[in-house]
């Protein structure tokens, strides 16, 4: 029997129409377009309206991905929704998306791995497809982060935006698809990026709400160094595992955390600027959605095409990180 690999065979993305510019933020907190642009590279981010929520964007992205893969929702066997901002605590957003898609033969679930969630999802389903346990899986990164952001905290509110990206994975010929993938976490860094309220530890009370315990809290400066080191190291490890060097890679699609982090990772890996994709100026940091949105933009524009070798790498709260090497 021919050995198959798991590969991405269709992608899609979606985000809310609403836009929050740096000028809007200047009117909300003590900040400036100059500070945000020079420290993060972000000029604007998309923001969901009060009546919009995560599964809607996940479903819209997933519909495109399934159609572009030439499949029907019934063909999907596993739906992994990577999100840190679910519609509600139960059922999972993956199950809600399953219902919205009519993917009646799938098992829907969520993976909570913050900004690394999409790479967690594809790493989980990769071996299921490669071993033949399942044929088609849907991995979605979907977030409405702006509903978890404290718009009085200038350290976090300028960074995050909303959106979703999705990929259908299925069997592809040997030598193509996912060549190497790895995910890691270190929960000892819990308090570098976290939202403590609303769970079983603090519960939900007037006190936790008044204290803003449900909002994201971040020690950005400390995360910065760990993020750069972790993404560069795991990328080098996955390139070696795939039997490639950075020179073989056509495009690097990193998690869009901060332009300065992207630049530092590229420089540590020795990759030139032209080979590194960035859309952070227009979308901000969309956490688990950032890699699939960026990849789909590259596929639509022709920057990723048949034969392209692509490196993905992410880092996020947990802390979590990962890297994946693919050949299209
Ligand atoms: N506007 C103006 N000033 C701001 C500001 C804002 N939006 N946010 C913070 N500042 C101020 C701080 O209060 C601080 O002022 P002080 O020196 O008077 O105390 C100063 O700017 C420097 O703050 P610092 O946090 O050291 O800035 P930074 O250069 O590290 O940039 C981040 C902040 C958040 C942009 C950056 O640390 C970052 O992107 N970190 C990583 C985020 C990340 O990877 N998250 C995990 C994956 S999603």
């Amino acid at each position: 029997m021919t050995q198959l690999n798991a590969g991405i065979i269709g992608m899609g993305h979606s985000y809310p129409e609403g836009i929050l510019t740096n000028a809007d933020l200047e009117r909300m907190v003590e900040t400036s377009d100059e500070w945000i642009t020079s420290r993060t590279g972000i000029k604007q981010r998309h923001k969901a309206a009060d009546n919009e929520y995560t599964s809607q964007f996940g479903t819209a992205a997933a519909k495109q991905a399934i159609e572009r893969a030439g499949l029907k929702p019934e063909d999907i066997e596993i739906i992994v929704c990577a999100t840190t901002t679910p519609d509600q605590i139960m059922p999972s957003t993956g199950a809600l998306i399953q219902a919205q898609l009519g993917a009646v033969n799938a098992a829907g679930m969520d993976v909570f791995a913050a900004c690394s969630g999409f790479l967690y999802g594809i790493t989980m389903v990769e071996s299921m497809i490669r071993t033949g346990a399942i044929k088609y899986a849907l991995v979605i990164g979907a977030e409405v982060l702006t509903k978890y952001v404290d718009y009085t905290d200038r350290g976090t509110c300028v960074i995050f935006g909303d959106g979703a990206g999705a990929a259908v994975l299925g069997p592809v010929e040997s030598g193509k698809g996912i060549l190497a993938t790895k995910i890691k976490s270190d929960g000892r860094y819990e308090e570098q990026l976290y939202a403590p309220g609303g769970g079983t530890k603090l519960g939900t009370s007037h006190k936790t709400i008044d204290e803003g315990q449900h909002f994201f809290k971040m020690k950005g400066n400390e995360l910065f160094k760990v993020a750069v080191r972790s993404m560069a190291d795991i990328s080098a490890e996955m390139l070696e595992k795939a039997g490639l060097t950075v020179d073989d890679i056509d495009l690097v699609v990193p998690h869009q955390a901060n332009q300065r982090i992207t630049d530092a990772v590229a420089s540590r890996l020795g990759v030139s600027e032209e080979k590194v994709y960035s859309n952070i100026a227009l979308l901000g940091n969309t956490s688990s959605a950032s890699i699939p949105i960026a990849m789909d933009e590259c596929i639509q524009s022709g920057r990723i095409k048949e034969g392209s070798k692509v490196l993905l790498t992410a880092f996020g709260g947990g802390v979590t990180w990962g890297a994946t090497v693919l050949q299209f």
Side-chain angles (χ1 to χ4, degrees):
M1 207 181 84
T2 328
Q3 171 73 39
L4 295 174
N5 266 8
I8 289 178
I9 58 171
M11 294 202 75
H13 74 273
S14 161
Y15 35 70
E17 278 179 21
I19 285 176
L20 189 67
T21 64
N22 290 353
D24 295 328
L25 285 162
E26 281 177 349
R27 289 188 285 275
M28 295 160 71
V29 282
E30 200 184 326
T31 191
S32 65
D33 174 47
E34 196 281 325
W35 192 95
I36 302 169
T37 309
S38 62
R39 296 295 180 111
T40 69
I42 302 168
K43 300 297 281 184
Q44 63 167 49
R45 64 294 285 146
H46 287 255
K47 187 175 187 297
D50 288 349
N51 63 351
E52 291 179 313
Y53 43 91
T54 304
S55 65
Q56 295 173 322
F57 301 107
T59 299
K63 277 186 178 162
Q64 275 185 347
I66 293 169
E67 200 183 307
R68 289 175 180 157
L71 299 177
K72 295 196 173 63
E74 305 88 275
D75 297 322
I76 305 296
E77 289 164 271
I78 299 272
I79 299 173
V80 180
C81 179
T83 186
T84 311
T85 53
D87 284 10
Q88 51 203 45
I89 202 71
M90 187 173 64
S92 70
T93 307
L96 298 171
I97 292 173
Q98 171 189 18
Q100 289 169 31
L101 289 171
V104 290
N105 296 314
M109 67 190 83
D110 287 3
V111 52
F112 276 78
C115 306
S116 313
F118 182 74
L119 297 192
Y120 267 60
I122 64 173
T123 303
M124 283 163 58
V125 303
E126 185 268 334
S127 56
M128 293 184 186
I129 295 168
R130 187 166 35 77
T131 56
I134 62 161
K135 195 164 182 192
Y136 298 117
L138 182 59
V139 178
I140 303 163
E143 306 281 5
V144 173
L145 295 153
T146 58
K147 292 196 185 183
Y148 279 86
V149 160
D150 177 359
Y151 282 97
T152 65
D153 173 13
R154 66 179 182 173
T156 53
C157 75
V158 302
I159 290 171
F160 298 107
D162 303 332
V168 173
L169 286 92
V172 296
E173 65 189 75
S174 175
K176 285 193 168 184
I178 297 171
L179 306 180
T181 189
K182 186 170 182 176
I183 47 178
K184 291 192 81 175
S185 72
D186 190 341
R188 288 174 300 178
Y189 292 96
E190 168 195 352
E191 291 190 3
Q192 292 208 350
L193 177 53
Y194 71 137
T200 55
K201 189 172 169 188
L202 295 187
T204 307
S205 63
H206 288 293
K207 183 171 180 285
T208 64
I209 302 285
D210 291 346
E211 288 171 357
Q213 298 285 9
H214 53 294
F215 289 132
F216 288 155
K217 300 168 198 322
M218 182 168 80
K219 293 177 184 148
N221 203 302
E222 289 171 35
L223 268 181
F224 199 105
K225 290 166 233 157
V226 194
V228 172
R229 194 178 56 239
S230 306
M231 285 195 279
D233 288 354
I234 202 162
S235 295
E237 188 186 335
M238 286 305 98
L239 283 171
E240 195 183 332
K241 190 170 176 208
L244 300 174
T245 70
V246 275
D247 296 333
D248 299 315
I249 292 294
D250 298 299
L251 189 67
V252 181
V253 183
H255 164 51
Q256 309 285 306
N258 178 322
Q259 189 59 45
R260 285 159 54 221
I261 293 185
T262 295
D263 294 345
V265 171
S267 130
R268 226 174 141 119
L269 280 173
V271 193
S272 61
E273 224 176 81
E274 315 81 68
K275 279 194 184 179
V276 184
Y277 189 70
S278 172
N279 62 10
I280 197 165
L282 299 178
L283 295 181
N285 177 341
T286 58
S287 191
S288 67
S290 89
I291 289 180
I293 293 175
M295 284 179 80
D296 190 38
E297 287 179 351
C298 293
I299 292 170
Q300 298 312 314
S301 68
R303 268 193 91 171
I304 295 179
K305 47 187 183 295
E306 188 70 21
S308 296
K309 292 189 183 73
V310 179
L311 168 68
L312 314 174
T313 186
F315 181 88
V319 293
T320 56
W321 67 103
T324 303
V325 179
L326 299 132
Q327 159 131 24
F328 278 81

